[in-house]
Amino acid sequence: MADNIGIKMRRQLRRRHHVRRKVRGNAERPRLTVFRSSKHIYAQLIDDDSGVTLAAASSSAPGLKKDGGLKYGGNIKAAKAVGKLLAENAKGKGITKAAFDRGHYRYHGRIKALADAAREGGLQF
């Protein structure tokens, strides 16, 4: 790791690599990866073998803001909406199974809400 990054970033990278070492996505079972910022939450289904994003959803998507009635993208309500949207996008592409990659985030709060909503939408992981 580079010497010019802080202690917090080193810990996050270490946790992320610890999780990523065990989780790998392919065409039949892509990796569902989550990124969480203070204002939005993003999720992607990635085929690691070919390096392609198969489906994606985010709380900053224009459809969620207008149709979903989302005012703020950094809360549990937004995470649930993103999980459902991702599951719909995946179903449209014929994807039913995924490998969940939480990154360096703990499995609670917005991350858990997104995962539960994706499961309710039909994704299996």
Side-chain angles (χ1 to χ4, degrees), residues 83-103:
K84 287 180 184 176
L85 181 64
L86 183 71
E88 289 173 12
N89 292 346
K91 271 188 181 177
K93 303 213 175 177
I95 301 168
T96 57
K97 292 184 178 182
F100 190 68
D101 176 13
R102 62 183 173 84

Side-chain angles (χ1 to χ4, degrees), residues 18-30:
H18 182 78
V19 172
R20 190 87 30 98
R21 197 171 29 230
K22 297 176 185 174
V23 178
R24 181 117 177 112
N26 53 31
E28 295 85 32
R29 188 180 168 103

Side-chain angles (χ1 to χ4, degrees), residues 11-24 30-37 41-46 98-116 119 125:
R11 287 181 184 156
Q12 287 178 348
L13 285 171
R14 192 166 155 243
R15 282 194 305 267
R16 185 178 303 142
H17 290 282
H18 182 78
V19 172
R20 190 87 30 98
R21 197 171 29 230
K22 297 176 185 174
V23 178
R24 181 117 177 112
R31 178 170 51 99
L32 192 164
T33 185
V34 179
F35 175 73
R36 186 188 77 182
S37 74
I41 190 160
Y42 309 87
Q44 295 180 331
L45 287 170
I46 300 172
F100 190 68
D101 176 13
R102 62 183 173 84
H104 63 273
Y105 308 109
R106 290 181 180 168
Y107 186 79
H108 77 288
R110 290 189 278 164
I111 304 297
K112 185 173 190 267
L114 188 142
D116 290 342
R119 279 191 195 104
F125 52 88

